[in-house]
């Protein structure tokens, strides 16, 4: 958003001259960021979510999208009352904001759930009705790079099966799930199933998305609002002293 407002300028040492840059401190920086939101016309959570949930965020800043998805999923659990949605859980439930988090420590990529060029491959046509839907937060998640490269433009039922495998809680469960899906032919072409099962790394952040049997425009819009709210609430804590 370009409101004409700018953060800073700052310097490493305070200046006594009027109009000169201030010293860079955490409190001064967060004050400016909060002021920027107000000047941009986004002083409340509702207004920020409304302005953000359908923006083509992937095109605008994929680096921010990676961080924002992690913030939205941090300490979040599946909401049993709303399939496909997350709600805030207890501390340590799903640690995404640490240097040791899998998406940060390993090579994770942003996955377009409905692919950018997947029209006509079993995907609901409503997904491609508006160009921004494909690149908005609601159609994006984080996946290991090897998985992201392998599933490409697969239809939702096959992508969902891979995510269910990644969200299993034990090697035995993962191996059982792999055999079941392979026998059904769902994942017969997937080249790294054995590697995934061997690693048996649990990806809690994918569990909620597996609760959606259909992937259409409504799923993207609703999931986008859910993630935007959780991400906003998490990031705002960094801008709120004592939070």
């Amino acid at each position: 958003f370009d409101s004409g407002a700018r953060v800073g300028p700052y310097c490493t040492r305070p200046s006594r001259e009027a109009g000169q840059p201030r010293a860079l401190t955490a409190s001064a920086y967060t004050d400016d960021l909060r002021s920027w939101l107000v000047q941009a016309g986004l002083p409340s959570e509702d207004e920020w979510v409304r302005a953000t949930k359908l923006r083509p965020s992937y095109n605008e800043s994929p680096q921010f999208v990676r961080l924002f998805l992690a913030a939205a999923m941090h300490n979040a659990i599946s909401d049993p009352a709303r399939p496909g949605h997350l709600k805030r859980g207890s501390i340590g439930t799903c640690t995404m904001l640490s240097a040791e988090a899998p998406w940060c420590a390993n090579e994770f990529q942003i996955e377009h759930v409905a692919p950018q060029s997947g029209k006509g491959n079993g995907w609901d046509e409503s997904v491609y009705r508006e160009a921004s839907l494909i690149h908005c937060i609601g159609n994006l998640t984080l996946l290991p790079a090897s998985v992201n490269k392998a599933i490409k433009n697969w239809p939702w039922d096959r992508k969902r099966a891979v995510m269910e495998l990644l969200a299993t809680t034990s090697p035995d469960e993962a191996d059982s799930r792999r055999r079941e899906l392979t026998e059904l032919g769902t994942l017969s072409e997937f080249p790294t199933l054995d590697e995934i099962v061997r690693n048996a790394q649990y990806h809690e952040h994918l569990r909620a998305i597996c609760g959606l049997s259909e992937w259409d425009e409504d799923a993207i819009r609703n999931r986008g609002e859910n993630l935007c709210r959780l991400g906003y609430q998490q990031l705002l804590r960094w801008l709120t002293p004592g939070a």
Side-chain angles (χ1 to χ4, degrees):
F1 304 104
D2 187 1
S3 67
R6 293 291 182 268
V7 176
Y10 293 106
C11 62
T12 55
R13 294 182 180 179
S15 173
R16 297 181 182 280
E17 299 179 24
Q20 293 300 309
R22 294 173 292 163
L24 178 56
T25 65
S27 60
Y29 189 64
T30 55
D31 284 347
D32 273 10
L33 288 174
R34 288 198 304 273
S35 297
W36 185 87
L37 286 173
V38 173
Q39 292 179 52
L42 305 170
S44 72
E45 177 181 322
D46 286 343
E47 287 162 321
W48 191 90
V49 170
R50 191 180 305 116
T52 304
K53 61 183 179 182
L54 295 180
R55 289 179 69 90
S57 301
Y58 177 82
N59 286 342
E60 295 174 343
S61 181
Q63 295 86 355
F64 175 73
V65 167
R66 279 167 53 85
L67 174 63
F68 188 82
L69 286 171
M73 297 168 177
H74 182 63
N75 287 332
I77 60 174
S78 299
D79 187 345
R82 305 178 69 194
H85 284 62
L86 291 166
K87 65 178 183 178
R88 195 62 65 200
S90 300
I91 294 174
T93 301
C94 181
T95 304
M96 298 290 284
L97 295 178
S98 75
E100 295 77 28
W103 75 273
C104 186
N106 303 319
E107 187 186 358
F108 271 48
Q109 295 178 343
I110 298 171
E111 155 71 0
H112 286 76
V113 180
Q116 301 176 66
S117 57
K119 189 174 182 180
N121 189 27
W123 292 94
D124 194 292
E125 291 186 3
S126 66
V127 170
Y128 298 93
R129 199 169 292 150
E130 297 178 39
S132 62
L133 279 174
I134 294 299
H135 301 295
C136 73
I137 292 292
N139 191 48
L140 306 173
T141 192
L142 297 170
L143 285 181
S146 61
V147 177
N148 191 46
K149 292 172 183 174
I151 63 179
K152 299 179 182 178
N153 294 345
W154 284 5
W156 171 234
D157 60 341
R158 299 185 70 197
K159 284 193 175 186
R160 180 187 178 199
V162 172
M163 293 183 194
E164 287 175 339
L165 181 62
L166 292 172
T168 54
T169 56
S170 72
D172 289 342
E173 182 185 353
D175 189 59
S176 174
R177 183 70 178 159
R178 177 189 60 77
R179 289 198 305 270
E180 174 190 345
L181 295 173
T182 302
E183 289 170 3
L184 290 172
T186 307
L187 302 175
S188 58
E189 300 172 17
F190 193 70
T192 56
L193 278 177
D194 289 333
E195 180 182 349
I196 290 172
V197 173
R198 276 199 309 273
N199 292 337
Q201 191 170 44
Y202 175 50
H203 298 294
E204 167 66 32
H205 73 281
L206 295 174
R207 185 165 288 277
I209 199 173
C210 296
L212 289 169
S213 58
E214 301 291 336
W215 196 266
D216 53 18
E217 180 181 357
D218 287 343
I220 292 174
R221 287 177 178 273
N222 292 333
R223 181 172 179 268
E225 176 156 353
N226 176 234
L227 291 177
C228 281
R229 288 195 181 280
L230 289 173
Y232 177 94
Q233 292 164 8
Q234 181 64 45
L235 295 181
L236 192 66
R237 294 177 55 147
W238 297 349
L239 304 184
T240 306

